[in-house]
Amino acid sequence: MRFNLIFFLFITAYNSSLYAQTKADALQDIRIDVIYLASDYLEGRETGTKGEALAAQYINKRFKEIGLLPKGDKGNYDQPFDFVYSNNPHATGGEERTGRNIVGYLDNGAATTVIIGAHYDHVGRGAFGSTYLDGPVIHNGADDNASGVAALLYLAKALNSSDWTNNNYLFIAFSGEELGLYGSKHFVKHPTIDMSTVNYMLNMDMLGRLKENTLVINGAGTSPTWKSSFTQIEKPALDIQTHDSGIGASDHTSFYLADLPALHFFTGSHEDYHKPSDDSPLINFEGIYEVSQYILGLIAQLDGAEKLTFSKTKDEENRKASAFRVTLGVMPDYASKGEGMRIDAVLDDRPAQKAGIEAGDIIVKIGDKDVKDIYDYMEGLGAFQPGDSTTVVVKRGKKTLKKKVSF
Ligand SMILES: [Zn+2]
């Protein structure tokens, strides 16, 4: 979508107000944030590119005007991280790049902090992670995930003037999500607050397509408190579908793996997922506002509660884009550069774990199919039906092991 700068500046100036925001104000902010972040000017916000830097600049400006304290590195909002970019999974090297998380803090002088996050990077012109195969075209990523960032900014503004002050709030716009959760993994390894004070984490990824008032909440099993809290939120009346697993294809996974209660809010997949057609005209802006209200309701609900208890979940793979009849029950390491497919995590009680496959193992063969990368792995899996058994060959350190897997 083309972006009109003059119109944007006019609206921003017009909208400045010292008063608590009305729904109309909030919706206007949400529209502007999504339309700007998903404009062609930002070229699909691929991590480490000019488009990502422009998006980062915009979020910096928004955090500042909302009144958040910088909580990245060196007194800035930015928390940079280095990585090697390659769109060829067979390559050993690649291009050295720097991405950045944007981190802002609302300090209520409380003992505990709630982390609220949304990734702002997307797949650029589709060299990596696109489901569109007709050449390089800008992927604007309006739903994925300008929508979540707009909700993040709305929540920051709302919480800054709320009475729910029993927690501090840390707002993180992550980068590197599409390439393999780089930004959230980096934050968990290099946190800018004391992680033992973190109460819980809320991740918003793809909130722009609310249909029939259905909101999906992943990670509902990561604390015994979640489900009873959901039932006590009266407004807005959304049809809530929960999934227990703390492991999924977005940034909450990094926090779950650090033993923190973590949720992922999601309005569902659609045919424009990771395609150039995921653009602003198809966004349900009112839906983003409704889901944000629901999240505020949850925060309010938990404001007087004790620090949440973490619970490990029976994990299931995220099936948002999967058409397979069988799964192994592993999280692939999307960042791995070597030959084969490295496993980041093994889910409990699924075929891989039952066969004795471990995190860190590298799958090099499934049945007759040699596995050089994640695409071979998916093709290999596609050959099986529930009830089938096969041999999976993995490398563990210097050893090569054969494991019998039943689907
Ligand atoms: Zn996303």
Side-chain angles (χ1 to χ4, degrees), residues 67-238:
L68 301 180
L69 301 170
K71 205 68 175 172
D73 288 348
K74 299 179 186 156
N76 299 314
Y77 290 115
D78 285 10
Q79 182 190 39
F81 56 89
D82 298 327
F83 68 101
V84 177
Y85 173 86
S86 168
N87 59 21
N88 177 359
H90 295 288
T92 45
E95 182 191 325
E96 293 201 7
R97 286 192 188 177
T98 303
R100 74 222 73 200
N101 297 326
I102 322 295
V103 191
Y105 190 49
L106 181 52
D107 187 358
N108 288 323
T112 50
T113 297
V114 171
I115 297 181
I116 305 176
H119 79 87
Y120 73 94
D121 66 299
H122 193 48
V123 298
R125 288 188 156 77
F128 185 104
S130 173
T131 55
Y132 177 83
L133 301 171
D134 286 339
V137 179
I138 295 176
H139 291 50
N140 285 325
D143 182 31
D144 189 8
N145 182 31
S147 66
V149 177
L152 181 80
L153 294 166
Y154 169 69
L155 291 176
K157 194 166 177 181
L159 289 167
N160 198 16
S161 56
S162 83
D163 297 330
W164 308 314
T165 53
N166 288 317
N167 290 287
N168 311 306
Y169 299 97
L170 190 75
F171 300 92
I172 313 178
F174 297 109
S175 191
E177 191 272 350
E178 301 286 9
L179 299 172
L181 315 186
Y182 290 168
S184 55
K185 282 182 189 169
H186 180 85
F187 182 86
V188 168
K189 275 191 199 145
H190 307 277
T192 59
I193 59 167
D194 175 356
M195 289 293 267
S196 70
T197 65
V198 175
N199 190 346
Y200 57 87
M201 192 273 172
L202 304 177
N203 176 36
M204 299 170 292
D205 192 359
M206 299 177 67
L207 295 186
R209 299 286 189 103
L210 188 70
K211 281 184 296 264
E212 290 156 12
N213 274 342
T214 303
L215 174 65
V216 178
I217 306 181
N218 296 314
T222 63
S223 170
T225 311
W226 289 133
K227 285 181 190 165
S228 59
S229 301
F230 298 158
T231 59
Q232 291 172 56
I233 300 165
E234 286 174 15
K235 278 186 177 175
L238 295 173

Side-chain angles (χ1 to χ4, degrees), residues 315 317 326-331 341 343 345-359 361 363 366 377 381 390 392 394 396 402-407:
D315 294 314
E317 273 163 300
V326 300
T327 58
L328 267 182
V330 302
M331 285 293 293
M341 195 205 74
I343 297 169
V346 176
L347 312 184
D348 287 342
D349 285 330
R350 302 294 306 283
Q353 194 201 42
K354 287 181 183 162
I357 292 172
E358 297 174 2
D361 286 353
I363 296 179
I366 297 179
Y377 163 72
L381 269 187
T390 191
V392 173
V394 300
R396 183 178 301 165
K402 284 187 182 170
K403 300 286 181 186
K404 181 132 187 335
V405 172
S406 303
F407 295 107

